[in-house]
Amino acid sequence: MENRKYLIVLAILLAILSGCTPELMEKTLNDEVPENYSQAISDTVNSATAYWNSFYTDPYLSSLIDSALSNNQELNITIQEIESARAEVMGKKGEYLPSISIGADVNSEKVGRYTSQGANDANTEIEPGTAFPEPLPHFMVGAFATWELDVWKRLRNAKKAAVTRYLGSVEGQNFMRTRIIAEIANSYYELLALDNQLEILKQNIAIQSNALETVKLQKANARITELAVQRFEAQVFNSRSVQFLLEQKIVEAENGINFLVGRFPQTVQRSSEVFKTLAPNVINAGIPSQLLENRPDVRQAELELAAAKLDVKVAKAHFYPSIGIRAGIGFEAFDPTLLMRSPESLLYTIGGDLMAPLINRKAIKAMYFKANARQIQAVYNYEQTILKAYVEVANQLSRIGYLEKSYALKAQAVEALNASVNISNELFLSARADYVEVLLTQRDALETQFELIETKRDQLISMVLIYQALGGGWR
């Protein structure tokens, strides 16, 4: 009967406490995406499912990516963050399980004669004619356990939140893998483009040097003035200065790749001739909803949101009473020879406690509101990540289309200007064209050749970026 009264009182107390939970502001998640990309035909075939080593077929590039995935310091730092998250999961799991410990205690105690304990010891005999020794030794050995009953699932939700964040950290590592692979590929194609620009520049320097010698001969024959010689010579000097700038850019591009690979500066093995025959891969964008599955950053944001929701439940559980159980068993005596004598030396304890916050719950409310604010923040972050993923894909799809048209026209311009260089040289030698026309034609031809290489580089980089934007590279 008495126990039933206590249960009724406890139930009323819990009802009162649960009704005192503050109301929270809510944010509805909007994770809908358009049915297709405006620049692409809807198709479920998606290039993001391709493995990176089948997407990038250049053996030198594949070797660099493989080394970076093993040696890149930033990626290795992320791996250690994952290990830290895994350790936190173990810790949360330990909080949910009972805690059992064993121990021993040895001490000696002398109490005052004119105290309640001293007077009691002096007037008590262990056995007839045997009093308590003074000072009084104490020996104890036993096992003790504590366990918080997770009635409100606070500990279980905390463990689930830790597990969810661990899974999110794994997705974060996958996203970093895609970013590092993209950075390596971008830098590699940039390096190949610089190599080809340098090769074209050297060819132009040779042509310009031959033209300079021709001009000097014409001046010696009094066919032209010193002004033409100086203009042609200045063009050669200017091209040589550009050559040094290109060589410096090549060094910086190599060192950028070496940094990503996690090694000190050295020559990057590559085949520059491949650049001339390289063509961007055909990209299948699939449908936008596939981004939710293929993009690691989207999945990470989704897991962070799930963990934030669990944090709110954990914070809410602090408003309710915590129920704990304590138990212990062992042996205790003042003489080690009596320690194992049972039942005289046997000790045991068992008990429970019920603790509930009633007054001054501002700290719990603050934690509750903070957890909810982070949940709303996670909702916005998830929506923003989805939007960012869609925009990145849409931008690259558009860029690929425009670059393809630009490259076709730029190739025609290069062909026309190369032909005009030969024509201008012939006209100049036959005194039917001014030397200024020759110089301008050579300059325009060189600039257009550079632009053609840069356009092809941009095409290859767009291929890399769309592959990354679709979520490719982490598999």
Side-chain angles (χ1 to χ4, degrees):
M1 187 65 179
E2 292 294 328
N3 292 337
R4 185 175 299 176
K5 291 181 179 179
Y6 292 144
L7 291 175
I8 294 173
V9 172
L10 178 60
I12 295 174
L13 176 62
L14 295 181
I16 294 174
L17 291 173
S18 61
C20 296
T21 304
E23 293 185 2
L24 297 176
M25 181 180 68
E26 296 183 358
K27 170 70 172 70
T28 303
L29 173 65
N30 179 18
D31 58 354
E32 295 183 0
V33 293
E35 293 183 359
N36 52 53
Y37 302 104
S38 57
Q39 297 87 354
I41 301 174
S42 297
D43 191 351
T44 56
V45 178
N46 198 310
S47 296
T49 58
Y51 295 111
W52 68 262
N53 49 7
S54 63
F55 187 81
Y56 299 110
T57 56
D58 188 320
Y60 295 107
L61 175 57
S62 296
S63 177
L64 290 171
I65 292 174
D66 191 57
S67 298
L69 294 179
S70 300
N71 303 322
N72 182 269
Q73 284 87 355
E74 189 174 2
L75 185 58
N76 288 329
I77 291 172
T78 304
I79 292 174
Q80 296 308 309
E81 291 177 355
I82 293 176
E83 293 300 319
S84 176
R86 181 183 298 174
E88 185 174 352
V89 171
M90 294 175 59
K92 294 297 182 182
K93 184 178 180 180
E95 292 178 4
Y96 174 68
L97 299 175
S99 175
I100 302 176
S101 59
I102 60 174
D105 180 50
V106 178
N107 60 65
S108 180
E109 181 184 27
K110 167 64 173 71
V111 298
R113 174 67 176 79
Y114 300 116
T115 63
S116 59
Q117 181 180 345
N120 184 65
D121 291 346
N123 296 318
T124 303
E125 293 184 348
I126 305 170
E127 294 178 354
T130 305
F132 281 100
E134 190 178 5
L136 182 66
H138 176 262
F139 301 92
M140 186 276 296
V141 61
F144 303 91
T146 58
W147 187 22
E148 181 179 345
L149 299 181
D150 196 22
V151 178
W152 318 113
K153 298 184 179 180
R154 179 177 65 85
L155 299 177
R156 276 175 285 184
N157 286 330
K159 185 191 74 172
K160 289 181 181 179
V163 172
T164 305
R165 286 197 168 87
Y166 164 72
L167 297 175
S169 65
V170 174
E171 296 299 340
Q173 180 201 15
N174 291 334
F175 181 65
M176 182 166 291
R177 285 170 61 93
T178 66
R179 185 170 62 81
I180 290 174
I181 290 173
E183 288 182 3
I184 288 283
N186 288 345
S187 300
Y188 182 77
Y189 291 136
E190 173 74 25
L191 183 58
L192 294 186
L194 290 172
D195 287 341
N196 280 264
Q197 286 182 334
L198 181 60
E199 180 184 353
I200 290 175
L201 180 62
K202 288 180 178 179
Q203 293 173 358
N204 276 268
I205 290 175
I207 294 173
Q208 293 168 1
S209 299
N210 291 334
L212 175 61
E213 295 302 320
T214 302
V215 169
K216 287 181 178 179
L217 289 175
Q218 288 185 327
K219 177 184 178 294
N221 295 327
R223 296 182 60 184
I224 58 174
T225 64
E226 178 65 20
L227 178 60
V229 175
Q230 294 297 325
R231 291 291 297 272
F232 272 86
E233 193 172 32
Q235 186 183 44
V236 174
F237 289 149
N238 182 66
S239 296
R240 287 178 178 172
S241 69
V242 174
Q243 176 181 346
F244 290 121
L245 295 177
L246 277 177
E247 289 173 346
Q248 173 61 24
K249 288 183 179 180
I250 289 174
V251 171
E252 292 177 358
E254 284 186 315
N255 289 341
I257 291 175
N258 287 321
F259 176 78
L260 291 172
V261 175
R263 66 191 185 189
F264 287 100
Q266 56 185 273
T267 301
V268 174
Q269 297 296 320
R270 60 193 184 273
S271 176
S272 301
E273 294 295 324
V274 175
F275 185 82
K276 299 175 182 178
T277 58
L278 275 177
N281 296 348
V282 176
I283 299 295
N284 297 305
I287 55 178
S289 60
Q290 292 174 326
L291 293 174
L292 305 181
E293 178 183 356
N294 292 330
R295 290 264 304 212
D297 58 332
V298 173
R299 294 210 307 275
Q300 183 182 20
E302 182 182 9
L303 290 168
E304 289 292 339
L305 174 58
K309 290 180 178 179
L310 290 170
D311 287 341
V312 174
K313 293 181 179 180
V314 172
K316 184 177 181 179
H318 284 89
F319 287 100
Y320 304 143
S322 61
I323 303 174
I325 296 176
R326 304 181 310 277
I329 187 170
F331 296 93
E332 185 177 27
F334 63 83
D335 188 336
T337 60
L338 305 175
L339 192 60
M340 296 301 175
R341 182 179 294 182
S342 180
E344 290 84 356
S345 297
L346 180 66
L347 72 89
Y348 62 86
T349 177
I350 185 169
D353 56 64
L354 176 66
M355 302 294 293
L358 291 176
I359 301 175
N360 193 11
R361 301 191 298 171
K362 291 184 178 180
I364 300 177
K365 289 181 179 179
M367 181 173 59
Y368 188 40
F369 289 136
K370 182 178 180 181
N372 186 63
R374 288 182 174 177
Q375 177 189 214
I376 296 175
Q377 184 182 26
V379 172
Y380 284 120
N381 180 63
Y382 185 37
E383 293 177 346
Q384 183 186 50
T385 305
I386 295 174
L387 177 61
K388 179 182 177 183
Y390 180 88
V391 170
E392 287 178 354
V393 174
N395 285 344
Q396 293 307 321
L397 287 174
S398 175
R399 181 178 173 84
I400 288 173
Y402 287 122
L403 284 173
E404 184 178 359
K405 298 174 182 178
S406 176
Y407 183 82
L409 295 174
K410 194 71 67 176
Q412 295 178 20
V414 168
E415 184 178 353
L417 284 170
N418 285 338
S420 67
V421 169
N422 296 329
I423 295 172
S424 65
N425 287 334
E426 293 175 0
L427 292 175
F428 176 70
L429 292 175
S430 60
R432 296 169 59 189
D434 188 74
Y435 68 88
V436 175
E437 293 179 290
V438 177
L439 293 173
L440 291 176
T441 304
Q442 290 180 348
R443 186 193 65 184
D444 291 344
L446 178 60
E447 290 179 353
T448 307
Q449 287 176 317
F450 272 30
E451 291 172 358
L452 181 65
I453 292 175
E454 290 172 353
T455 304
K456 172 173 263 194
R457 176 204 63 193
D458 292 343
Q459 281 186 298
L460 295 171
I461 289 177
S462 290
M463 174 195 71
V464 172
L465 294 179
I466 186 64
Y467 178 60
Q468 180 193 14
L470 291 171
W474 60 270
R475 289 180 173 87

